[in-house]
Amino acid sequence: MMIELLIGVALLGALVTFVAPNRIAGKLAFAISLVPAALSVYMFTAFDGSGNALLADGGVIAFESSTEWIRLGEYTISWFVGLDGISLPLVVLTTVLITLAIVSSWTPIDDRESQFYGLLLFIEANLIGVFTALDFFLWFIFWEAVLIPMYLLIGIWGGPRRKYAAIKFFVYTNVASLVMFGAFVTLVFSLDVTTFALPAITTAMLETGPQAEIFGLGGTSLASAVFLAMFLGFAVKVPIVPFHTWLPDAHVEAPTPASVLLAGVLLKMGTYALLRFNFTMFPEEVISAFAVPIAAIAAISVIYGALLALAQTDLKRVVAYSSVSSMGYVILGLVAFTQFGVGGATFQMVSHGLVSGLMFMAVGVIYNATHTRMLTDMSGLADKMPLAVGVLIAGSFAYMGLPLMSGFAAEYFIFFGSFGSEFLEYAPLITAVAMFGIVIVAGYLLFALQRAVFGPYLLETDYEIGRAPLHDIAPMFVLLAIIIALGVAPELIFDMITDAVDPILENGGEW
């Protein structure tokens, strides 16, 4: 019942915070968020490394809970939740980031606080559901429910173009969800199953494949069509080129805490789903048919996203476009289909969540003080805001892959796994192209830092700035400590990740 407790505390906390007075909403939400954070850390320490939750012969499911919920004809929908080494680190990431995002909201959010913090806790409950649900319909309910609070966070508390950004975010991701939903339900109807439980569907796919012909397609043809449709649906959520255009608008207009969650966790929903569905359920023959095009798209996303970041003069847009580049590395690791590739991609999900959250918090602190994000409007901030700028510089180095920080470990695992991949044709060439993205990342981040934080002090506004308050700085130092800890000792999560990844690579059998 641990997972139900996590979700229940977040949901109940959201309801309580919604009706709480504005003056105490922020502190109340922070206190409530500590409970899921503490529970997730306890679950992390108690986890027994039990293999992959979707593969019956790959280990048991940790913290499992299952009961029949709804019957739709011959099909059963269940409340079925559980964790493995892939999902547990993402649950911990979610609960920790929510707590820190709440603290980072205390300065910028001064209107309708109770509703704002209630939505943060509501989004936490649904994110935990996405990473723990093992029944497709239950998972899809949580998946869609995440869109509602994020739409409201952007549309109510966002910048001048918040309505446009919120609608664009909702339309892109909801249409993609419909494509994915239709494809997966079609697949289920073609299998010899009477349940929407993901382990049963995975087993049926790997052992027998589609047993019914739908839309004139059967067997491998149907599986390939479903794989492609689901990949496109999840690719919008990641996002990868050319489905990335909603992301910068959403980031720029969203309030800082929403940007932290959007980059830190919501983007990981797409890559997590790709790993859980596309790269776990489908045989190697289906994956290999699309491996080279997907890897090419990943490399293009890395380079193109970095080049777009290099062209920006808005510091928040720089960080936003860098997420497109970073997610390209995750896709490359997944499609390499090796232990270090897939394991490194999962490690990168966690690492990027931490680093991007840190970067958006730092940009938010600078904006709170200067009321501008334009690199052309400021310079020499290091003398005025030494702690905030110091953390921003440290986060930038983590993005660049500085050794002993989590970004270095993640990129090394991915490059090592993809360069030597026997599954992916032209693997060395594609990997070499993607690796060049590191050079561009260093270029745009160092260029931004040089203009904004070094040199003589200049601020083309009327605001006096000074040291940021402690509650703005503390969350960034917590994230920086975790980033360094995972960089120094990546085995803290990498071993449990590989325990769950290995059965995926071993079970892509023929049918």
Side-chain angles (χ1 to χ4, degrees), residues 33-112:
S33 70
L34 289 175
V35 178
L39 287 174
S40 67
V41 171
Y42 166 75
M43 295 165 71
F44 181 84
T45 59
F47 182 70
D48 60 2
S50 53
N52 191 290
L54 265 63
L55 296 167
D57 55 352
V60 298
I61 305 170
F63 306 105
E64 178 183 4
S65 178
S66 178
T67 184
E68 185 175 320
W69 182 19
I70 302 172
R71 291 197 64 86
L72 295 176
E74 63 182 67
Y75 292 93
T76 301
I77 299 174
S78 303
W79 174 272
F80 185 13
V81 292
L83 288 167
D84 64 5
I86 293 171
S87 53
L88 180 54
L90 293 171
V91 169
V92 177
L93 172 68
T94 299
T95 58
V96 170
L97 270 185
I98 287 286
T99 299
L100 299 178
I102 289 173
V103 177
S104 71
S105 306
W106 289 352
T107 295
I109 303 301
D110 57 6
D111 179 47
R112 303 174 69 173

Side-chain angles (χ1 to χ4, degrees), residues 71-323:
R71 291 197 64 86
L72 295 176
E74 63 182 67
Y75 292 93
T76 301
I77 299 174
S78 303
W79 174 272
F80 185 13
V81 292
L83 288 167
D84 64 5
I86 293 171
S87 53
L88 180 54
L90 293 171
V91 169
V92 177
L93 172 68
T94 299
T95 58
V96 170
L97 270 185
I98 287 286
T99 299
L100 299 178
I102 289 173
V103 177
S104 71
S105 306
W106 289 352
T107 295
I109 303 301
D110 57 6
D111 179 47
R112 303 174 69 173
E113 291 100 320
S114 58
Q115 289 86 2
F116 181 87
Y117 293 110
L119 287 172
L120 288 185
L121 292 173
F122 183 70
I123 203 172
E124 177 181 28
N126 289 292
L127 284 169
I128 294 171
V130 167
F131 295 131
T132 59
L134 296 176
D135 180 279
F136 175 74
F137 262 91
L138 178 65
W139 174 87
F140 189 74
I141 290 171
F142 285 124
W143 174 275
E144 287 294 279
V146 169
L147 300 181
I148 301 169
M150 184 54 65
Y151 170 81
L152 295 174
L153 288 171
I154 298 172
I156 297 175
W157 289 274
R161 301 175 71 241
R162 57 185 179 272
K163 292 183 179 179
Y164 166 78
I167 292 172
K168 188 174 182 179
F169 159 76
F170 191 86
V171 170
Y172 266 69
T173 53
N174 197 45
V175 170
S177 295
L178 292 176
V179 172
M180 172 272 296
F181 179 84
F184 192 80
V185 170
T186 297
L187 180 67
V188 172
F189 290 161
S190 73
L191 296 172
D192 187 18
V193 295
T194 58
T195 177
F196 285 94
L198 298 180
I201 294 170
T202 304
T203 300
M205 273 296 297
L206 294 176
E207 289 183 352
T208 62
Q211 298 297 295
E213 184 174 312
I214 299 179
F215 302 131
L217 300 174
T220 304
S221 297
L222 177 60
S224 297
V226 171
F227 178 94
L228 181 60
M230 292 179 64
F231 178 85
L232 293 175
F234 295 137
V236 175
K237 195 77 170 184
V238 173
I240 58 176
V241 176
F243 308 109
H244 66 286
T245 56
W246 65 267
L247 182 64
D249 293 315
H251 269 312
V252 169
E253 300 304 323
T256 295
S259 291
V260 170
L261 296 180
L262 182 58
V265 188
L266 265 71
L267 302 189
K268 311 308 175 295
M269 291 169 56
T271 50
Y272 171 79
L274 281 172
L275 175 55
R276 276 296 193 221
F277 291 84
N278 289 70
F279 291 95
T280 297
M281 295 184 176
F282 290 83
E284 290 183 5
E285 290 81 2
V286 176
I287 301 173
S288 63
F290 302 98
V292 172
I294 291 174
I297 291 173
I300 291 170
S301 294
V302 169
I303 301 299
Y304 187 62
L307 289 174
L308 288 174
L310 184 62
Q312 304 306 310
T313 56
D314 183 323
L315 189 55
K316 202 172 186 182
R317 278 190 176 270
V318 171
V319 181
Y321 277 115
S322 67
S323 292

Side-chain angles (χ1 to χ4, degrees), residues 28 58 61 85 139 225 238 242 350 362 420 424 429 440 478 484 508:
L28 177 63
I61 305 170
W139 174 87
V238 173
V350 178
L424 177 62
L429 175 61
I440 309 176
V478 172
I484 294 174

Side-chain angles (χ1 to χ4, degrees), residues 314-385:
D314 183 323
L315 189 55
K316 202 172 186 182
R317 278 190 176 270
V318 171
V319 181
Y321 277 115
S322 67
S323 292
V324 178
S325 182
S326 296
M327 290 298 96
Y329 288 128
V330 176
I331 303 300
L332 178 62
L334 292 177
V335 79
F337 216 64
T338 61
Q339 182 191 65
F340 276 93
V342 180
T346 308
F347 192 97
Q348 171 73 341
M349 293 183 210
V350 178
S351 173
H352 178 263
L354 297 169
V355 177
S356 63
L358 171 62
M359 294 291 285
F360 277 112
M361 284 185 187
V363 173
V365 170
I366 291 174
Y367 179 75
N368 292 340
T370 64
H371 294 265
T372 182
R373 296 188 304 261
M374 303 306 294
L375 297 173
T376 53
D377 292 344
M378 52 187 169
S379 67
L381 296 181
D383 291 336
K384 299 289 185 176
M385 308 177 67

